[in-house]
Amino acid sequence: MGTVEISVIVPIYKIEAYLPKCVESLLQQTFSKFELILVNDGSPDRCSQICDDFAEMDSRIKVVHKENGGLLSARKAGLKAASGKYISFVDGDDWVDRYYLDILVKLAEANSSDLVVTGHFREFDGKIETIKPKSTGIYDEQDIKRTILPKAIFNGNFCEHGISTYVWNKLFKKELLSRILFDIPNEIIMGEDAAITYSYLCLAKNLVVSRIPLYYYRQRHDSIVKSIENQSKEYYRLGLLTNFLKTKLGEILPEKNLNKQITNYLYSQILVRSGGLVLNKKGDIIFNPFLNVKRNAKIVVYSSGSFGQHILSTNTKTNFLKIVRWIDVDFHDLNVGGNKVRPLSSIKNEEFDHLIIATINPTTYSSIKNELGLMGINEQKIVQINTDEAEIGNLLLKLGFKKDFSYTLE
C-alpha cells in the first residue's frame, strides 16, 4: 500500500444489513491512495465479524473495535487511527459513487481547500432524490467569516442552513479536524454533525462548494425517531449542542447574528421532535406553531417523514386536531394512531380545513405547495408556521432554555 492521502472513517453500530454495500462501494473507488477505517462501536450484531472479514480481504482496511460510546466517540477513535492528510466520513448504512474520493481530492487540491462540500443523493424506498448545495464556489477566509458563517446555520429561510450540517458530504483536513473534534463532548448525541461542521468552519481558511452529488444517503424507516420519551432529556441534549455552538462560534460571529441563527435552529429542532404542538411536562399545549389552526380543525398532514410521524403521535396524546388524511408522494405502509399513509390523489378540498406540509425545509415546502396547487388543492388552506422571533424567544425561555442556549436537567 502506497501513500495514504485520505482516511475514510466509518462508524459502525447495528447496521449489519447495510454494511457490506457500504464497504464494497468504498473498495471500488477509482482513487487508490486511501485507507478505510472501520470503527466497530461495540455493535451487538454481526458487524464486528463483517469488519474483520473485509480486513482480511483488503490491506487498505483497518478495524478499530471499541466499547459502545456513541457516534462522536467512534469518529474520534477513527481519527486517532488515521494517517491521511484528508478525512472523509461515511455512515455505515449509506454508500458512495465510485468517483467519490477522486472528486473530493481534486476539489481540495485544485483549490488548496481546507473544506470541500458536495451534493448528495437521498434514497428512500427505492426512490432517489438529488440534493445540491446552493452557494457553490470558492471562498477565502474573509468570505467564510463575512458571508458563509453568518448564514451557515440559518440562511434567513425557516429553517434552512447555508452550509448543510452533514459531515458525510464533505472532505476535511486531518490537521484542522484534530484541533476541534476532540473538544466536542461525547454527550452531544443530537446534532453531532452540526457540532463538527460549524466549529470546523471557524478554522477553515478556504472552502470549496460543489454541486456534484457523490454520496448516497439512505433514509431508513427504522431510523426515524418516533416519539419523545423524556422531554427534559431531549431538551437537555439539544441544549448541549446549541450551547456548544454558541461558545465556539461566539469567538467569530457578532452576538446578535449568532443568537438569531441558533434560536431558529433550536426552534426547528423542537418543532420536529414535538410534532409541532409544544407541550409542557404536564402534557398541556403551551405553543401552537400552526398559524390560524384551531382545536378540532380537520387536517390533512403531508409527509410521512420524521416531522409528519411526530405530528400524528403527538396528536394521539392531545386530540387537538382532527386528522382526516395522511398523505405522501413516498407512499408506503405506515400506521400511526390508526392513520395510514395515502397517495396525494386521495384528498378533496371540501374534506378538510387546513393542510400541514410537515417539512421545515422552505425549498421542499414551496415545491410541495406548487405541486398541490397543480392538483387543484386550495393554497389558502396550506398552513404556515409561526416564525415570529419574539414569540420563539419566549417559548425557549418558557421551556427552560437559558440565554446561552443551555438547558439544565432538574
Side-chain angles (χ1 to χ4, degrees), residues 160-270:
E160 201 165 65
H161 308 295
I163 296 287
S164 62
T165 54
Y166 319 119
V167 295
W168 40 250
N169 62 344
K170 298 180 174 66
L171 186 68
F172 301 87
K173 270 201 180 145
K174 183 190 172 200
E175 168 206 349
L176 292 181
L177 190 62
S178 301
R179 281 169 50 191
I180 60 117
L181 187 62
F182 300 111
D183 283 349
I184 303 173
N186 285 344
E187 292 73 50
I188 293 182
I189 56 170
M190 254 177 211
E192 304 94 331
D193 284 25
I196 297 172
T197 297
Y198 299 135
S199 52
Y200 183 91
L201 254 181
C202 295
L203 296 181
K205 305 262 194 291
N206 184 296
L207 159 72
V208 62
V209 182
S210 157
R211 290 171 70 84
I212 304 171
L214 300 163
Y215 188 99
Y216 289 86
Y217 163 64
R218 187 195 301 268
Q219 177 105 42
R220 286 160 44 197
H221 292 305
D222 57 354
S223 68
I224 291 175
V225 197
K226 295 294 186 299
S227 64
I228 297 177
E229 271 113 57
N230 179 328
Q231 192 186 51
S232 298
K233 200 180 266 182
E234 192 98 348
Y235 293 158
Y236 171 69
R237 287 170 181 166
L238 281 172
L240 285 175
L241 169 68
T242 47
N243 175 254
F244 174 80
L245 291 174
K246 167 88 175 159
T247 311
K248 280 287 170 203
L249 276 69
E251 297 160 18
I252 289 184
L253 287 171
E255 187 172 26
K256 195 176 172 191
N257 168 278
L258 182 56
N259 285 352
K260 181 176 179 163
Q261 288 200 71
I262 295 177
T263 297
N264 276 279
Y265 179 57
L266 182 54
Y267 176 55
S268 70
Q269 295 301 311
I270 288 169

Side-chain angles (χ1 to χ4, degrees), residues 26-84:
L26 283 157
L27 296 178
Q28 286 159 12
Q29 292 298 297
T30 53
F31 182 85
S32 57
K33 296 177 186 172
F34 76 97
E35 63 179 357
L36 177 52
I37 301 172
L38 304 176
V39 184
N40 167 32
D41 189 29
S43 192
D45 54 8
R46 286 189 56 256
C47 282
S48 168
Q49 188 59 52
I50 294 169
C51 290
D52 289 341
D53 290 348
F54 270 116
E56 273 184 33
M57 283 162 39
D58 199 305
S59 62
R60 292 172 294 180
I61 297 178
K62 285 183 188 173
V63 183
V64 177
H65 293 287
K66 63 185 279 300
E67 270 182 38
N68 180 252
L71 190 53
L72 273 168
S73 77
R75 286 177 175 156
K76 288 174 186 176
L79 187 57
K80 279 182 183 155
S83 55

Side-chain angles (χ1 to χ4, degrees), residues 2 8-9 36 46 52 56 65 71 74 93 106 146 168 173 231 234 262 274 280 293 296 301 354 356 388:
V8 183
I9 297 170
L36 177 52
R46 286 189 56 256
D52 289 341
E56 273 184 33
H65 293 287
L71 190 53
D93 48 357
K106 284 203 171 70
R146 285 185 191 162
W168 40 250
K173 270 201 180 145
Q231 192 186 51
E234 192 98 348
I262 295 177
S274 66
N280 63 13
V293 173
N296 291 326
V301 177
H354 303 282
I356 295 172
D388 181 286

Side-chain angles (χ1 to χ4, degrees), residues 123-139:
E123 187 272 342
F124 188 64
D125 250 17
K127 291 180 182 173
I128 289 186
E129 180 188 355
T130 308
I131 295 165
K132 296 179 177 182
K134 289 197 173 91
S135 50
T136 50
I138 303 162
Y139 302 89

Side-chain angles (χ1 to χ4, degrees), residues 300 302 327 347 352-357 372 377 381-383:
V300 171
Y302 180 115
I327 59 168
I347 56 168
F352 64 94
D353 303 317
H354 303 282
L355 186 148
I356 295 172
I357 298 174
L372 290 168
I377 296 305
K381 292 190 170 194
I382 294 175
V383 173

